Amino acid sequence: MVREKVTISTRTLQWKCVELRKETKRLSYGRFILAPLLKGQADTIGIAMRRALLGETEGTCITRAKFEKIPHEFSTLTGIQESVQEILMNLKEIVLKSYLYGTHNAYICVKGPRDVTAEDIILPTFVEIIDNTQHIATISEPIDLYIELQIERNRGYHLQLQNNLEDRSYPIDAVFMPVRNTNFSVHSYGNGTEMYEILFLEIWTNGSLTPKEALHEASRNLIDLFMPFLHAEEESFDLEKTQNKTTLPLFTIHDKLRKTTKEKEIALKYYFIDQAEFSPKIYNSLKKSNIHTLWDLLNKNQEELLKIQHFGIEDVQHILRILEMEKDFAIDLRKNLF
């Protein structure tokens, strides 16, 4: 546990971590302060940060499980103490941390008799389990248990709808929120003529993020949401009409990409979007859509880009402007493709 003495400056706005402790593998606590604030500002920031922490931070969950030869989720498995429903509930409790977006597969393949825990899950290299001791099932007989899992990174709470079960897979309601709870309080100080406020912010996380990491991520996401209001000029347009009628310069070069050699294709696949100066909003949206390299980006047309969540015409135009500014890229592209 870390504690620091609280000292407040009356000159510049500052924040500090007052307390930080890890209670269990799946529960971390942090307490932060922000001061000095004018009257009313602490509530404004506290309400916005609480909503951003709970709704805008991202987590990773198991969203689907596929069993072999199981007629329905309330079935019992021979040689296994738990029902399918109980196994699904245990899988829901597993806390994961992922470094990539999108949907990925994981597997459980064990032979009994034994206890099956989260440690038995075979994961992609970019996914890790926060608590390996989470119980999944108990195999009481010498039988094999094979479960195929689907892992996804997202935000908020997703209620998975039951769909066609012919493939023997079952959805799992996913709580993607790494922040389990957050609270804030406001304290006033000063003399009669000059009164200031201190914002105290408490954060509890599930261990996949530290409270400080959750605070940073929520702050970045909140800033991204307000960025459009910082534009010098107002942009007014009918979204539906714009999406249907606005024409952009041809973005895809599928015909020329098909003619590229293997070496040129590899070069484009190793030009990561991290190297381009995209805005945080565009960069995060591309990452969430599994667009990681220039090759991925150039294989998307304007209709496909506009289907990306929170993506608009101005974002596609921004991408085009950035690519035009990338002179080294433009030269290399002309050499390779034209």
Side-chain angles (χ1 to χ4, degrees):
M1 183 174 67
V2 178
R3 289 181 180 270
E4 295 186 16
K5 184 179 179 181
V6 180
T7 57
I8 302 299
S9 169
T10 58
R11 296 182 179 178
T12 58
L13 192 63
Q14 297 178 343
W15 77 278
K16 179 176 287 189
C17 178
V18 180
E19 185 178 352
L20 190 64
R21 64 174 183 263
K22 188 173 183 179
E23 299 182 353
T24 65
K25 289 183 178 179
R26 289 186 282 177
L27 183 60
S28 298
Y29 171 81
R31 190 164 183 248
F32 308 88
I33 62 169
L34 179 67
L37 296 164
L38 299 179
K39 185 177 179 180
Q41 289 182 339
D43 279 323
T44 301
I45 299 173
I47 294 171
M49 285 305 304
R50 187 176 187 277
R51 293 188 63 88
L53 284 164
L54 293 174
E56 299 300 327
T57 53
E58 297 179 338
T60 304
C61 293
I62 298 173
T63 57
R64 186 169 290 274
K66 181 178 181 180
F67 298 81
E68 292 184 340
K69 302 177 181 178
I70 304 298
H72 55 79
E73 62 180 301
F74 300 102
S75 300
T76 57
L77 306 175
T78 303
I80 299 178
Q81 294 183 8
E82 292 82 2
S83 67
V84 174
Q85 178 67 18
E86 290 174 322
I87 294 176
L88 294 176
M89 293 301 294
N90 291 336
L91 291 171
K92 183 179 178 179
E93 295 298 319
I94 296 175
V95 178
L96 302 172
K97 183 174 183 177
S98 174
Y99 300 95
L100 288 181
Y101 293 96
T103 302
H104 307 280
N105 293 326
Y107 307 91
I108 298 175
C109 186
V110 295
K111 185 177 182 63
R114 58 169 297 180
D115 287 334
V116 183
T117 65
E119 188 176 11
D120 297 305
I121 300 178
I122 303 172
L123 293 165
T125 56
F126 47 82
V127 180
E128 63 180 82
I129 297 176
I130 300 303
D131 185 5
N132 287 328
T133 63
Q134 169 63 41
H135 177 74
I136 297 176
T138 301
I139 307 176
S140 57
E141 298 181 10
I143 61 172
D144 294 330
L145 175 64
Y146 177 81
I147 308 175
E148 183 178 339
L149 305 174
Q150 177 179 289
I151 296 174
E152 183 181 346
R153 177 172 175 173
N154 212 315
R155 63 185 181 89
Y157 176 79
H158 287 204
L159 181 64
Q160 304 292 344
L161 300 178
Q162 195 75 278
N163 54 9
N164 188 359
L165 300 180
E166 292 181 357
D167 63 349
R168 308 293 184 184
S169 67
Y170 302 91
I172 301 174
D173 294 342
V175 183
F176 292 106
M177 300 179 291
V179 177
R180 290 308 189 209
N181 192 19
T182 180
N183 190 25
F184 74 92
S185 58
V186 180
H187 301 269
S188 300
Y189 72 98
N191 53 39
T193 57
E194 293 185 357
M195 295 295 296
Y196 298 96
E197 293 181 341
I198 306 174
L199 173 66
F200 284 83
L201 185 64
E202 296 179 290
I203 303 172
W204 290 263
T205 68
N206 64 1
S208 61
L209 287 179
T210 66
K212 187 177 291 187
E213 289 172 337
L215 182 62
H216 290 175
E217 181 177 330
S219 300
R220 287 196 303 268
N221 293 338
L222 194 59
I223 291 171
D224 288 343
L225 291 175
F226 285 103
M227 283 298 291
F229 294 111
L230 298 180
H231 292 171
E233 297 181 0
E234 178 184 357
E235 296 182 5
S236 59
F237 57 90
D238 188 319
L239 184 59
E240 293 184 0
K241 292 182 179 180
T242 303
Q243 289 183 344
N244 293 332
K245 298 181 179 180
T246 301
T247 58
L248 295 172
L250 185 60
F251 189 62
T252 54
I253 46 176
H254 290 109
D255 294 337
K256 294 183 175 61
L257 287 175
R258 293 191 190 100
K259 299 176 183 179
T260 58
T261 64
K262 189 65 178 179
E263 292 77 13
K264 296 171 183 176
E265 178 181 332
I266 293 174
L268 289 173
K269 288 181 177 180
Y270 277 89
Y271 193 105
F272 294 94
I273 62 172
D274 309 62
Q275 299 171 251
E277 296 181 358
F278 293 131
S279 67
K281 174 197 171 184
I282 292 178
Y283 173 80
N284 291 330
S285 297
L286 292 176
K287 281 286 188 180
K288 290 178 183 178
S289 301
N290 281 331
I291 299 175
H292 306 292
T293 66
L294 208 55
W295 178 265
D296 300 332
L297 185 58
L298 291 175
N299 273 287
K300 299 289 184 182
N301 56 37
Q302 80 176 52
E303 289 78 13
E304 291 172 323
L305 289 176
L306 289 173
K307 290 179 182 178
I308 296 176
Q309 189 176 15
H310 307 308
F311 231 58
I313 289 291
E314 69 279 2
D315 298 312
V316 180
Q317 292 173 332
H318 179 72
I319 290 176
L320 292 171
R321 288 195 296 268
I322 291 296
L323 293 181
E324 290 174 358
M325 293 169 58
E326 293 282 345
K327 295 181 180 179
D328 293 337
F329 159 72
I331 294 173
D332 293 338
L333 190 61
R334 284 195 294 270
K335 289 181 179 178
N336 290 335
L337 301 178
F338 296 91

